[in-house]
């Protein structure tokens, strides 16, 4: 008898089956999901922000202390880019997944490393911003929020109106700074409880966010990665889907499998 070829499951079908069976889903997103909204990623690719810049000169408290004008100007330029961007089909598909899980009395938590607010604007509600948001700025001394003009800041650096001699800084998490404790707490609770973890558009090299998928897998959650390129987790996830988030997510989630 001729041998039948062994059926390799199509990764999109496999992902749909895992989503249909899941009751508690955690999604972790990174810069890749916003790339199709025109927001540059940090690493990898011709347009990546850190292709020409050393992150240590822009994304650390030391850099801000050394050269607040350059750092403020760079973040304010990015704030304008985020304001102008619109959510893409990947963001919208995740908002639809949240609504579908709610409808079947499931749980959905969206952990994002992105600071652009596009998930909120797409309609997602249970969003945990691990690295803060570039849309809010705060006093570097007191931490009080600072109202910003809609357009570019009038000066770089921009003085804080709250404390004499201190400066406005973006409410983001720089290297060497702790993540907001409420965000870490919410993330850890969701990860401990999930039966499916989906990592989307992140290089999976920045901690502690990069550890969450391993924690989820260690307690038995199924894992899916959606990324344009291979990453350190591609060979350890249950389903690795190589493609653009804005194209792959609608294929899996429109309609949400049930
Ligand atoms: C597509 C696509 C498409 C493209 N579709 N895919 C343990 C081990 C080792 C190091 C550490 C550790 N614990 C802590 C550290 C140190 C450090 C760290 O992780 N360093 C590593 C880099 C080595 N971590 C920290 O410092 C963190 N703080 C901390 O741990 O504090 C501890 C502490 C406790 C108590 C007191 C004091 C301290 C803070 C990390 C903060 C990260 N901040 C940044 C900047 C935010 C502000 C800003 O926006 O400028 O966050 S760094 C930058 O990287 C940004 C991102 O959120 C983050 C992750 O990047 P992401 O999203 O993965 O983007 P990319 O560009 O890397 O990847 C894009 C991906 O998309 C690629 O894979 C593409 O293929 C893909 N892609 N187009 C799908 N269309």
């Amino acid at each position: 008898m001729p041998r039948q070829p062994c059926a390799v499951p199509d990764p999109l079908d496999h992902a749909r089956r895992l989503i249909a069976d899941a009751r508690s889903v955690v999604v972790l997103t990174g810069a890749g999901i916003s790339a199709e909204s025109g927001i540059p990623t940090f690493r990898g690719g011709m347009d990546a922000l850190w292709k020409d810049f050393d992150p240590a000169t822009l994304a650390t408290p030391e850099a801000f202390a050394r050269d607040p004008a350059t750092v403020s100007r760079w973040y304010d330029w990015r704030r304008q880019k985020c304001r102008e961007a619109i959510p893409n089909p990947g963001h919208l598909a995740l908002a639809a997944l949240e609504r579908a899980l709610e409808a079947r009395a499931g749980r959905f938590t969206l952990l994002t490393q992105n600071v652009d607010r596009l998930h909120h604007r797409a309609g997602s509600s249970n969003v945990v911003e691990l690295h803060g948001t570039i849309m809010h700025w705060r006093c570097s001394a007191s931490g009080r929020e600072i109202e910003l003009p809609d357009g570019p800041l009038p000066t770089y650096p921009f003085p804080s109106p709250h404390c004499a001699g201190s400066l406005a800084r973006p409410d983001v998490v720089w290297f060497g700074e702790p993540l907001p404790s409420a965000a870490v707490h919410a993330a850890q609770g969701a990860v401990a409880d999930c039966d499916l973890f989906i990592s989307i558009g992140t290089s999976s090299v920045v901690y502690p966010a990069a550890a969450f998928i391993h924690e989820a897998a260690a307690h038995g959650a199924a894992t899916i990665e959606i990324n344009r390129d291979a990453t350190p987790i591609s060979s350890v996830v249950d389903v690795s889907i190589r493609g653009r988030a804005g194209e792959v997510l609608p294929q899996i989630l429109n309609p949400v499998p049930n």
Side-chain angles (χ1 to χ4, degrees):
M1 239 193 41
R3 280 177 137 211
Q4 294 294 319
C6 186
V8 177
D10 169 53
L12 296 180
D13 280 343
H14 193 176
R16 285 188 199 103
R17 271 209 311 280
L18 291 176
I19 291 164
D21 291 345
R23 286 291 164 267
S24 180
V25 177
V26 170
V27 172
L28 172 70
T29 60
I33 195 168
S34 294
E36 287 153 89
S37 294
I39 300 180
T41 61
F42 295 92
R43 307 167 186 82
M46 290 303 288
D47 303 325
L49 284 170
W50 290 345
K51 186 171 63 67
D52 299 319
F53 293 105
D54 173 5
T57 65
L58 291 167
T60 62
E62 294 77 17
F64 184 64
R66 202 166 44 235
D67 188 355
T70 300
V71 174
S72 302
R73 187 186 302 276
W74 190 66
Y75 275 95
D76 202 33
W77 168 74
R78 287 183 48 212
R79 180 173 71 100
Q80 301 309 320
K81 277 199 93 65
C82 295
R83 279 171 50 83
E84 288 156 15
I86 51 172
N88 67 52
H91 297 105
L92 297 172
L94 290 179
L97 175 60
E98 178 170 15
R99 289 192 295 274
L101 272 149
E102 270 168 16
R104 60 165 110 129
R107 202 173 149 192
F108 177 86
T109 307
L110 179 41
L111 311 179
T112 188
Q113 299 167 88
N114 298 345
V115 298
D116 55 34
R117 282 276 151 109
L118 287 179
H119 287 304
H120 296 85
R121 288 169 54 200
S124 291
S125 340
N126 194 19
V127 182
V128 177
E129 292 181 315
L130 296 168
H131 294 164
T133 173
I134 204 167
M135 305 314 282
H136 292 170
W137 288 43
R138 59 181 157 89
C139 172
S140 55
S142 67
R144 282 175 66 190
E145 189 171 343
I146 294 172
E147 292 269 338
L148 298 182
D150 280 349
L153 294 176
T155 60
Y156 301 111
F158 187 62
S160 166
H162 301 308
C163 305
S166 66
L167 299 173
R169 60 157 284 180
D171 195 8
V172 300
V173 182
W174 283 324
F175 282 117
E177 293 185 321
L179 276 59
S181 54
V184 173
H185 191 252
Q188 284 170 339
V191 169
D193 174 62
C194 75
D195 52 18
L196 175 62
F197 189 108
I198 310 176
S199 172
I200 304 169
T202 174
S203 53
S204 296
V205 296
V206 175
Y207 287 81
F212 291 141
I213 193 163
H214 301 292
E215 289 163 22
H219 74 250
T223 52
I224 300 173
E225 180 189 48
I226 299 167
N227 200 300
R228 195 193 56 189
D229 302 325
T231 75
I233 63 167
S234 303
S235 57
V236 298
V237 291
D238 296 308
V239 185
S240 170
I241 301 173
R242 207 61 63 75
R244 293 181 193 282
E247 293 166 7
V248 171
L249 284 167
Q251 287 181 58
I252 300 174
L253 295 173
N254 292 346
V256 174
N258 59 27

